[in-house]
Amino acid sequence: MTKFIIGNWKMYGNVTSAHMLIEAVAAAANARVEVVVCPPATLLTQVTGWLAGSKVQVGGQDCHAAAGGAHTGDISAAMLKECGAAYVIVGHSERRAAHGETNAEVRKKAEQAMAAGLAPIICIGETAAQRKAGQAKAVVARQVRESLPEKVAAGRFLLAYEPVWAIGSGKTPTVSDIAGIHAHIISAAARETGLAPERIFVVYGGSVNAANAGRILATRGVAGVLVGAASLKAEEFVSILRAAQTAAQDPRRK
Ligand code: PGA
């Protein structure tokens, strides 16, 4: 199974830094791994231009829940598509927290993405307080139930498990924790969509770096990684990519 290595640049980067990063990533990419970079919207057109002919895909970081309209400052899924994006992140915890995005809104964004021909990367994950209260599995199951569009086709969406407390903190769950939650998410999503569990792809995100990526990528139920801070450092992101390429080459692994 091809792994997904997704870089979420958040609100970082300018034309010069983006160009250097893209050159390094494009040179390291090959067909064994699906690499996706999600730059700020202002850089999308340039980044897709630089990546023409490469194996690297581009994604947006968010889209609006409507197809169009009087929404000053917002961007529609179709606009991202026109810029050359193939993916879009929806429901990131930073947007859920800072913009009050609900599961219902995230579902609408994912529906708009799919209608525009983009694959949504639907983010879910529990807070530290929810985990402490033993609610992590219940929280992610509810997010799956309420954020996934009603009609989804296999291969047209990804789920990203990003525990809120792991994002930008340097902390990660243990690999057995990740395996347990991913299995739970996969079965909840399979139930919800009617798809076979092996057609549901869940990537892990939250403090992924060059040192822990190999271990996380080798964990059962992990279809790839969504990388924030480490995706802005060429050397670090390329070494995460190499870890995935090595895993894909290993005949003992699926
Ligand atoms: P991080 O961010 O890798 O910097 O923890 C991940 C994310 O927010 O997607």
Side-chain angles (χ1 to χ4, degrees), residues 182-206:
H182 276 228
H184 191 71
I185 293 169
I186 290 168
S187 60
R191 228 177 9 252
E192 203 51 34
T193 59
L195 294 170
E198 55 278 11
R199 314 293 296 274
I200 309 273
F201 304 121
V202 185
V203 301
Y204 168 81

Side-chain angles (χ1 to χ4, degrees), residues 32 244-252:
R32 267 190 243 120
Q245 288 167 339
T246 310
Q249 226 174 351
D250 185 342
R252 288 166 304 175

Side-chain angles (χ1 to χ4, degrees), residues 8 10 92-94 162 166-170 205-208 226-230:
N8 173 12
K10 309 194 180 186
H92 191 283
S93 63
E94 286 156 10
E162 295 208 307
I167 295 174
S169 65
S207 294
V208 174
L226 176 51
V227 187

Side-chain angles (χ1 to χ4, degrees), residues 128-201:
Q130 289 165 333
R131 168 163 282 241
K132 213 166 154 211
Q135 295 166 347
K137 285 190 174 170
V139 167
V140 295
R142 178 163 182 197
Q143 288 172 324
V144 166
R145 227 170 26 246
E146 296 180 359
S147 309
L148 261 183
E150 260 152 44
K151 287 205 176 68
V152 285
R156 296 304 308 137
F157 72 101
L158 292 175
L159 282 158
Y161 170 55
E162 295 208 307
V164 180
W165 53 272
I167 295 174
S169 65
K171 293 185 208 145
T172 57
T174 63
V175 286
S176 77
D177 258 352
I178 295 175
I181 295 253
H182 276 228
H184 191 71
I185 293 169
I186 290 168
S187 60
R191 228 177 9 252
E192 203 51 34
T193 59
L195 294 170
E198 55 278 11
R199 314 293 296 274
I200 309 273
F201 304 121

